[in-house]
PDB file of all heavy atoms in Angstrom:
ATOM      1  N   SER A  18      15.283   7.001  32.239  1.00 41.00           N
ATOM      2  CA  SER A  18      16.496   7.633  32.428  1.00 41.00           C
ATOM      3  C   SER A  18      16.565   9.078  31.964  1.00 41.00           C
ATOM      4  O   SER A  18      17.343   9.781  32.388  1.00 41.00           O
ATOM      5  CB  SER A  18      17.688   6.796  31.824  1.00 41.00           C
ATOM      6  OG  SER A  18      17.464   6.633  30.486  1.00 41.00           O
ATOM      7  N   SER A  19      15.715   9.344  30.941  1.00 47.00           N
ATOM      8  CA  SER A  19      15.804  10.707  30.294  1.00 47.00           C
ATOM      9  C   SER A  19      15.001  11.710  31.224  1.00 47.00           C
ATOM     10  O   SER A  19      14.072  11.481  31.671  1.00 47.00           O
ATOM     11  CB  SER A  19      15.148  10.584  28.922  1.00 47.00           C
ATOM     12  OG  SER A  19      15.106  11.895  28.370  1.00 47.00           O
ATOM     13  N   GLN A  20      15.725  12.936  31.257  1.00 44.00           N
ATOM     14  CA  GLN A  20      15.127  13.999  32.029  1.00 44.00           C
ATOM     15  C   GLN A  20      14.588  15.017  31.110  1.00 44.00           C
ATOM     16  O   GLN A  20      14.123  16.134  31.552  1.00 44.00           O
ATOM     17  CB  GLN A  20      16.142  14.629  33.004  1.00 44.00           C
ATOM     18  CG  GLN A  20      16.771  13.694  33.943  1.00 44.00           C
ATOM     19  CD  GLN A  20      15.608  13.123  34.881  1.00 44.00           C
ATOM     20  OE1 GLN A  20      14.744  13.855  35.376  1.00 44.00           O
ATOM     21  NE2 GLN A  20      15.680  11.737  35.143  1.00 44.00           N
ATOM     22  N   ASN A  21      14.713  14.802  29.756  1.00 49.00           N
ATOM     23  CA  ASN A  21      14.182  15.836  28.808  1.00 49.00           C
ATOM     24  C   ASN A  21      12.695  15.699  28.589  1.00 49.00           C
ATOM     25  O   ASN A  21      12.248  14.539  28.402  1.00 49.00           O
ATOM     26  CB  ASN A  21      15.007  15.513  27.405  1.00 49.00           C
ATOM     27  CG  ASN A  21      14.810  16.735  26.470  1.00 49.00           C
ATOM     28  OD1 ASN A  21      13.662  17.187  26.229  1.00 49.00           O
ATOM     29  ND2 ASN A  21      15.833  17.157  25.908  1.00 49.00           N
ATOM     30  N   LYS A  22      12.036  16.856  28.666  1.00 55.00           N
ATOM     31  CA  LYS A  22      10.632  16.780  28.569  1.00 55.00           C
ATOM     32  C   LYS A  22      10.122  16.518  27.154  1.00 55.00           C
ATOM     33  O   LYS A  22       8.897  16.301  26.952  1.00 55.00           O
ATOM     34  CB  LYS A  22      10.053  18.118  29.068  1.00 55.00           C
ATOM     35  CG  LYS A  22      10.269  18.467  30.473  1.00 55.00           C
ATOM     36  CD  LYS A  22       9.664  19.718  30.862  1.00 55.00           C
ATOM     37  CE  LYS A  22       9.918  20.054  32.431  1.00 55.00           C
ATOM     38  NZ  LYS A  22       9.302  21.363  32.807  1.00 55.00           N
ATOM     39  N   SER A  23      11.060  16.469  26.188  1.00 83.00           N
ATOM     40  CA  SER A  23      10.587  16.273  24.743  1.00 83.00           C
ATOM     41  C   SER A  23      10.704  14.890  24.356  1.00 83.00           C
ATOM     42  O   SER A  23      10.623  14.619  23.108  1.00 83.00           O
ATOM     43  CB  SER A  23      11.546  17.043  23.862  1.00 83.00           C
ATOM     44  OG  SER A  23      11.353  18.435  24.181  1.00 83.00           O
ATOM     45  N   ASP A  24      10.860  13.916  25.252  1.00 90.00           N
ATOM     46  CA  ASP A  24      10.852  12.477  24.949  1.00 90.00           C
ATOM     47  C   ASP A  24       9.604  11.822  25.308  1.00 90.00           C
ATOM     48  O   ASP A  24       8.989  12.240  26.294  1.00 90.00           O
ATOM     49  CB  ASP A  24      12.105  11.758  25.424  1.00 90.00           C
ATOM     50  CG  ASP A  24      12.013  11.560  26.905  1.00 90.00           C
ATOM     51  OD1 ASP A  24      11.384  12.437  27.605  1.00 90.00           O
ATOM     52  OD2 ASP A  24      12.512  10.518  27.360  1.00 90.00           O
ATOM     53  N   SER A  25       9.120  10.830  24.697  1.00 95.00           N
ATOM     54  CA  SER A  25       7.894  10.108  25.010  1.00 95.00           C
ATOM     55  C   SER A  25       7.902   8.686  24.537  1.00 95.00           C
ATOM     56  O   SER A  25       8.576   8.385  23.500  1.00 95.00           O
ATOM     57  CB  SER A  25       6.703  10.869  24.373  1.00 95.00           C
ATOM     58  OG  SER A  25       6.843  10.941  23.014  1.00 95.00           O
ATOM     59  N   LEU A  26       7.198   7.874  25.236  1.00 96.00           N
ATOM     60  CA  LEU A  26       7.018   6.464  24.865  1.00 96.00           C
ATOM     61  C   LEU A  26       5.578   6.220  24.911  1.00 96.00           C
ATOM     62  O   LEU A  26       4.891   6.402  25.864  1.00 96.00           O
ATOM     63  CB  LEU A  26       7.735   5.547  25.890  1.00 96.00           C
ATOM     64  CG  LEU A  26       7.738   4.054  25.724  1.00 96.00           C
ATOM     65  CD1 LEU A  26       8.394   3.657  24.491  1.00 96.00           C
ATOM     66  CD2 LEU A  26       8.149   3.281  26.905  1.00 96.00           C
ATOM     67  N   TYR A  27       5.026   5.728  23.854  1.00 95.00           N
ATOM     68  CA  TYR A  27       3.566   5.518  23.723  1.00 95.00           C
ATOM     69  C   TYR A  27       3.245   4.197  22.966  1.00 95.00           C
ATOM     70  O   TYR A  27       3.970   3.710  22.049  1.00 95.00           O
ATOM     71  CB  TYR A  27       2.796   6.675  23.173  1.00 95.00           C
ATOM     72  CG  TYR A  27       3.351   7.135  21.859  1.00 95.00           C
ATOM     73  CD1 TYR A  27       2.771   6.722  20.727  1.00 95.00           C
ATOM     74  CD2 TYR A  27       4.390   8.093  21.841  1.00 95.00           C
ATOM     75  CE1 TYR A  27       3.238   7.264  19.497  1.00 95.00           C
ATOM     76  CE2 TYR A  27       4.819   8.633  20.640  1.00 95.00           C
ATOM     77  CZ  TYR A  27       4.270   8.214  19.489  1.00 95.00           C
ATOM     78  OH  TYR A  27       4.749   8.659  18.236  1.00 95.00           O
TER      79      TYR A  27
END
Side-chain angles (χ1 to χ4, degrees):
S18 61
S19 175
Q20 301 299 318
N21 194 308
K22 295 182 180 180
S23 297
D24 72 329
S25 61
L26 177 71
Y27 51 93

